[in-house]
């Protein structure tokens, strides 16, 4: 098939999505994360970062079906927060988040038990990044902790430390460290829990001293950014502003001018002066959209030589979206993400705690 055949096929699919969306308008809402490609993003009824999408799903009483153009943990959170008669559909079951996969419920539970062998009088408050399995959120909910997102991690961590003498943060080491350091916690009060090591690779003394214990998960997309790239842009374009996502390493966040969730990055560019220059350290599809939108500014992807693409988000293709819409029309909705009620009830505790804290 030639490139022009592919383009014709895609155009046909796009028109069919438009038709199906119009036919099903009363029954569906399409939620879209900012990392989706434009060919999906154009169909969004609601867009947002993880926090905004979770809030919007929780508040929407209308549709029978939420079609989640994001990744699996986002669809799970929406299912937990929406009504029993509403269904959440993920157009591709393989659209997961590799970072979330780095902390399973049983792994987290085993680490928690092991931590308490050092001293079972520790008051540990667990915090899980929203990029995690429902089972991890349920564990955190049961233990009195909270979910956080990239836009409220500092606030939630502060809350956790006000309630206990330690916080155990899963699964993103970097978001955890960036938040802890922003709260003034020193590096020697932070321990990293390495999943495959006894006591996470720490001595008992290190665990006793730690105020924050970080699971060693990471996002490989945000690992593609470095402090050297920040230096490059500062040398090349004096006066340029650098903004990055807090899933980047601490030295990248430190050398940037500011950091924020995807929604925060969008707002910073929106509120900036015409003529200003920006290097942005987050997923490429969002950066491409910012470049297209802000024609009066100069916007660059922070990395010049790596793709910075979330390949699991990219599994939500127009074809997959159309199949989902067709399946609703035919009365056999496909791709439902449904969290077991006993898990959902506990996970809801930790999600609602976050919504109350922020
Ligand atoms: P946001 O909540 O900032 O949109 O981030 C979600 C995510 O997966 C970033 O990698
Ligand atoms: Fe997960 Fe990273 Fe993709 Fe976000 S960008 S969904 S953290 S893999």
């Amino acid at each position: 098939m030639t490139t022009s055949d592919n383009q014709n096929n895609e155009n046909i699919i796009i028109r069919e999505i438009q038709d199906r969306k119009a036919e099903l308008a009363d029954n569906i809402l399409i939620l879209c994360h900012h990392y989706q490609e434009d060919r999906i993003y154009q169909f969004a009824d609601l867009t947002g970062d993880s926090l905004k999408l979770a809030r919007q799903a929780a508040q929407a009483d209308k549709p029978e079906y939420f079609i989640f153009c994001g990744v699996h943990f986002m669809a799970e959170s929406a299912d937990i927060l929406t009504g029993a008669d509403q269904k959440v559909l993920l157009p591709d079951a393989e659209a997961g988040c590799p970072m979330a996969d780095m902390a399973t419920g049983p792994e987290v539970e085993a680490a928690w038990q092991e931590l308490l062998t050092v001293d079972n009088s520790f008051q540990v408050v667990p915090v899980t990044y929203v990029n995690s399995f429902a089972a991890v959120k349920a564990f955190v909910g049961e233990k009195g902790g909270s979910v956080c997102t990239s836009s409220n991690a500092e606030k939630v961590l502060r809350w956790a430390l006000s309630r206990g003498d330690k916080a155990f943060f899963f699964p993103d080491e970097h978001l955890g460290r960036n938040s802890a350091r922003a709260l003034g916690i020193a590096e020697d009060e932070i321990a990293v829990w390495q999943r495959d090591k006894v006591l996470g690779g720490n001595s008992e003394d290190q665990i006793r001293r730690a105020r924050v214990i970080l699971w060693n998960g990471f996002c490989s997309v945000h690992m593609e950014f470095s402090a050297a790239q920040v230096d490059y842009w500062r040398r090349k374009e004096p006066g340029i502003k650098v903004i990055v996502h807090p899933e980047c390493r601490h030295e990248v966040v430190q050398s940037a001018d500011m950091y924020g969730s995807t929604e925060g990055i969008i707002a910073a560019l929106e509120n900036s002066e015409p003529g200003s220059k920006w290097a942005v350290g987050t997923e490429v599809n969002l950066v491409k959209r910012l470049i297209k939108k802000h024609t009066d500014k100069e916007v660059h992807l922070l990395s010049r030589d790596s793709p910075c693409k979330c390949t699991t988000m990219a599994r939500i293709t127009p074809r997959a979206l159309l199949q989902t819409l067709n399946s609703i029309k035919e009365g056999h909705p496909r791709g439902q993400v449904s969290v077991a009620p006993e898990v959902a009830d506990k996970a809801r505790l930790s999600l609602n705690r976050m919504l109350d804290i922020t």
Side-chain angles (χ1 to χ4, degrees):
M1 221 190 276
T2 65
T3 317
S4 100
D5 288 339
N6 280 337
Q7 191 52 52
N8 286 342
N9 279 345
E10 174 118 344
N11 290 344
I12 293 168
I13 291 174
I14 296 290
R15 277 198 298 277
E16 284 189 45
I17 295 175
Q18 285 161 343
D19 292 346
R20 222 44 28 87
K21 203 183 155 193
E23 288 160 23
L24 297 168
D26 291 341
N27 279 347
I28 62 165
L29 265 187
I30 300 182
L31 280 76
C32 222
H33 186 263
H34 295 307
Y35 292 163
Q36 289 296 336
E37 296 174 31
D38 280 349
R39 58 196 191 133
I40 294 293
Y41 204 77
Q42 62 180 321
F43 296 113
D45 295 306
L46 302 169
T47 61
D49 61 8
S50 308
L51 179 62
K52 191 169 162 196
L53 289 171
R55 276 193 201 282
Q56 291 180 128
Q59 285 160 6
D61 50 3
K62 182 198 89 168
E64 188 179 352
Y65 297 103
F66 292 91
I67 302 174
F68 220 112
C69 298
V71 288
H72 193 263
F73 74 81
M74 297 178 184
E76 274 191 338
S77 298
D79 181 55
I80 293 164
L81 292 171
T82 52
D85 50 349
Q86 295 175 307
K87 298 178 185 64
V88 178
L89 309 180
L90 185 66
D92 186 317
E94 300 298 312
C97 167
M99 180 211 279
D101 296 345
M102 292 175 190
T104 64
E107 280 175 324
V108 164
E109 198 156 348
W112 180 269
Q113 297 303 344
E114 200 182 343
L115 179 70
L116 293 181
T117 61
V118 176
D119 184 340
N120 69 7
S121 69
F122 284 158
Q123 293 294 312
V124 188
V125 179
V127 174
T128 186
Y129 188 23
V130 70
N131 297 35
S132 56
F133 288 114
V136 174
K137 294 185 179 83
F139 175 80
V140 168
E142 213 179 359
K143 299 290 177 196
S146 173
V147 171
C148 74
T149 71
S150 56
S151 58
N152 60 24
E154 284 168 34
K155 244 189 207 170
V156 174
L157 194 57
R158 186 184 295 116
W159 168 88
L161 290 168
S162 73
R163 295 172 70 92
D165 40 43
K166 295 183 195 305
F168 201 172
F169 190 100
F170 326 102
D172 186 10
E173 174 184 340
H174 305 286
L175 177 66
R177 174 173 292 105
N178 287 322
S179 309
R181 297 302 305 269
L183 294 180
I185 294 168
E187 196 56 45
D188 66 358
E189 296 175 296
I190 298 174
V192 176
W193 189 278
Q194 299 174 65
R195 281 161 273 156
D196 46 356
K197 303 226 166 109
V198 175
L199 216 51
N202 297 285
S203 64
E204 290 201 357
D205 198 44
Q206 278 171 309
I207 293 292
R208 278 182 212 287
R209 205 165 358 119
R211 292 183 63 204
V212 177
I213 301 161
L214 305 173
W215 197 260
N216 70 340
F218 58 89
C219 164
S220 52
V221 177
H222 289 91
M223 289 302 97
E224 292 177 41
F225 300 109
S226 67
Q229 294 163 354
V230 178
D231 290 345
Y232 167 84
W233 283 109
R234 293 208 193 283
R235 273 197 313 275
K236 182 164 187 300
E237 301 285 355
I240 197 166
K241 290 213 160 44
V242 180
I243 186 164
V244 300
H245 195 277
E247 287 175 14
C248 293
R249 288 186 192 86
H250 187 56
E251 70 257 27
V252 181
V253 167
Q254 258 183 324
S255 55
D257 296 288
M258 39 184 124
Y259 63 94
S261 72
T262 53
E263 197 73 18
I265 292 173
I266 291 168
L269 273 277
E270 203 66 56
N271 297 327
S272 66
E273 293 295 313
S276 55
K277 295 179 184 179
W278 291 87
V280 184
T282 195
E283 209 266 353
V284 68
N285 285 308
L286 172 55
V287 181
K288 280 187 187 163
R289 196 169 302 116
L290 293 169
I291 293 171
K292 225 193 266 177
K293 181 160 189 218
H294 296 282
T295 48
D296 59 340
K297 294 158 200 167
E298 202 180 301
V299 184
H300 304 274
L301 179 65
L302 178 60
S303 166
R304 291 177 307 126
D305 49 16
S306 50
C308 307
K309 185 175 165 87
C310 180
T311 51
T312 48
M313 284 266 180
R315 295 191 68 97
I316 311 292
T317 59
R319 185 178 295 280
L321 176 56
L322 178 60
Q323 284 169 348
T324 302
L325 290 165
N326 283 340
S327 73
I328 297 172
K329 185 177 177 193
E330 287 153 11
H332 303 289
R334 68 195 275 279
Q336 185 176 352
V337 172
S338 176
V339 179
E342 62 280 12
V343 177
D345 287 347
K346 293 176 190 162
R348 201 173 297 111
L349 294 174
S350 60
L351 277 160
N352 282 333
R353 258 178 220 131
M354 168 185 77
L355 296 174
D356 289 345
I357 295 166
T358 57

